[in-house]
Amino acid sequence: MPKCHNCNKPAIYGYGPTGQEIPFCLDCGLKYTQIMAIQQEQREREMNYLADQFEAITGVPGVVPRYPERKVNLLQGATVALHNININNSNVGVLNTGHLEIIDSAITQLNQESGSEVVSAAISKLANAIAVSGELSAEKRNEAMEILSAIASEATAPKDKRRGAVIKPLLSSLGTSIQSAAALVQIWQSVAPAITQFFGLS
């Protein structure tokens, strides 16, 4: 059975052109899909912004097609078993539990790996702060959690498999997504050095 390109677990997926597929296991395939989805959403938002600019300049609104707004799927009233993220019932209904579970699982894994304790604590602190933030809308909190889930997943990869080129734009997007929340910005500034150093970006 072929091995995963990223972690050497048994591969069950192949990504890429026919005949040149890169093998991934279930976990790494999920990480790859998440990152691709986030990058695609960023491109869609950029295209919509350019469409707005075009219409503003020409003075002819509503003529340029746009990507439809993405809807966040939430699990209302769900019971979420988390070990590293403190979340109350009032927030369960507005946060995407899938992202929470991915981050929580990554933190647990990082806590068990020597040398990963600092980045684990940084991700945990940031996740907890985003979860309870009263300065961000539910949409913005989910956006930040989605990006953080991709970063946390990538952090669990072996050191030689961590992709700094992928993480760098995600870190930038995370900072942008929380920039309207002063308290979160302060926390981000305090934990960002640990995260960038972990991925070899500092």
Side-chain angles (χ1 to χ4, degrees):
M1 177 177 290
K3 298 294 185 180
C4 175
H5 176 75
N6 192 55
C7 70
N8 291 324
K9 293 179 182 177
I12 59 174
Y13 293 114
Y15 292 88
T18 303
Q20 301 178 20
E21 296 91 343
I22 298 175
F24 281 133
C25 67
L26 179 61
D27 290 339
C28 293
L30 175 60
K31 295 175 187 177
Y32 178 83
T33 302
Q34 285 180 315
I35 292 171
M36 293 300 102
I38 292 172
Q39 291 180 338
Q40 177 61 27
E41 183 176 3
Q42 290 173 334
R43 287 190 288 267
E44 291 174 7
R45 292 173 64 184
E46 290 173 358
M47 291 298 293
N48 286 347
Y49 176 69
L50 291 174
D52 287 337
Q53 284 189 315
F54 173 81
E55 292 179 352
I57 293 172
T58 61
V60 184
V63 297
V64 180
R66 288 169 173 76
Y67 287 99
E69 181 181 353
R70 290 175 179 254
K71 302 296 182 183
V72 177
N73 295 321
L74 305 176
L75 300 180
Q76 299 289 344
T79 299
V80 187
L82 302 173
H83 304 287
N84 307 288
I85 303 174
N86 299 316
I87 182 170
N88 55 42
N89 291 334
S90 63
N91 282 318
V92 170
V94 297
L95 292 174
N96 188 313
T97 55
H99 298 151
L100 293 172
E101 290 170 343
I102 290 171
I103 296 170
D104 190 70
S105 176
I107 293 171
T108 297
Q109 183 175 338
L110 290 169
N111 283 337
Q112 298 170 352
E113 297 176 359
S114 177
S116 299
E117 298 85 355
V118 174
V119 73
S120 174
I123 293 172
S124 178
K125 184 176 181 179
L126 191 55
N128 278 287
I130 294 171
V132 301
S133 174
E135 298 179 277
L136 291 180
S137 65
E139 180 183 0
K140 280 296 183 181
R141 277 194 285 170
N142 275 293
E143 178 183 320
M145 282 294 192
E146 181 178 7
I147 298 171
L148 185 58
S149 70
I151 295 171
S153 294
E154 188 69 18
T156 63
K159 185 176 181 179
D160 61 337
K161 298 293 185 179
R162 296 173 197 150
R163 296 166 295 179
V166 172
I167 290 299
K168 193 171 183 178
L170 289 177
L171 293 176
S172 177
S173 296
L174 181 57
T176 300
S177 71
I178 63 173
Q179 64 183 357
S180 62
L184 284 179
V185 170
Q186 289 186 339
I187 293 174
W188 170 240
Q189 290 173 343
S190 70
V191 303
I195 297 175
T196 54
Q197 183 177 5
F198 181 80
F199 285 104
L201 300 175
S202 58

